[in-house]
Amino acid sequence: MTRKPKVLAVEVLTKEIDEKLKHFSISASKLSLREKVLRLVDIRRSVNDLGVSVAVEDGLSRTAARDRIESYIVRHVSVIIDGEELAVVSGISEYARRVRELRTEKGYRIVSGASNDADSGLNLKPDQYLLLAPEPDLDSARRWLIANRIRREDGSIQNRLLEFFKANVGKVVTTEELSYVAKTKGGDSFTRRIRELRTEHGYAIATIFTGRPDLAMGEYIMLSTDRVAKEHDRHIPMDVQREVYERDKNTCRLDGWSMEKWSKEDPRILELHHLKAHVKGGENIAKNLLVLCSRCHDDIHANRRTIPPEALP
Ligand SMILES: [Zn+2]
Ligand SMILES: [Zn+2]
């Protein structure tokens, strides 16, 4: 629908559509298929006008479809919105492109089903959208520039993802950006690559489930580039990791340190420690794992400290 929607009083439009529908049902038996279709096209246009008019009556922009989409999404932070809703309030069928602009030009953290990612808590259908925070993110334009550059580089998906994470250490990035950098169709394989960065290569990447409960769904953060988990810690299944972080309330079991206390002077991260060492047959199960901050973790492995019984799960 490229036709510009007409903004009229909602009441007037509703009546008009009523009339058209009545007329259609009375005369339908005498009409050819083509004639019926043409009438329905006309009714659809009116319904389209009605959507925009309803939005305008509620205070959304009269002139710009993108502004209506912006207002509608901002009014529904953390609520999953269907593409069809955006079609109604905007009156245009290319709303997806407008959403992309809101993301890349205005810095809104909008994730979509196009980059669905259960690892970070996102369960969206392909044409669904979710705004993570009401305020645009001022750093976002810079990240999209970087994402754009890295996306064009040769090399594996995983290397591109890692490069993007490294360019944003300590900064929150979204699954939408990662999916863009990975340049994959369909969500699955880019999320698997991110998981591998953590579980096979040992990078300290956190989500809402793994140490950073303050993050929104669909957000990731690389906490450090110089801290890479030891080989044996890398094979803890994601669901076990989630379970342990949740059980330990995302805090170090020894000194209660949590990510909110992070500072440049004291840049710790949270890690999982095996009570019975993996090499000695300790299993990757919640009972055998403990959340520790990297400082306490180092102390334990250097035998500068032992785990008191009350800290055991
Ligand atoms: Zn350990
Ligand atoms: Zn600690």
Side-chain angles (χ1 to χ4, degrees), residues 232-233 272-274 297 301:
H232 59 81
D233 291 341
L272 298 182
H273 169 67
H274 288 88
H297 201 178
H301 282 275

Side-chain angles (χ1 to χ4, degrees), residues 7 32 121 163 236 243 280-281 312:
V7 180
S32 72
E163 198 183 334
I236 305 164
E243 189 187 339
K280 291 180 187 156
L312 296 174

Side-chain angles (χ1 to χ4, degrees), residues 230 232-233 271-275 277 289-290 292 297-298 300-301:
K230 297 198 172 55
H232 59 81
D233 291 341
E271 295 171 322
L272 298 182
H273 169 67
H274 288 88
L275 289 168
L289 293 161
L290 213 57
L292 293 179
H297 201 178
D298 288 345
I300 295 289
H301 282 275

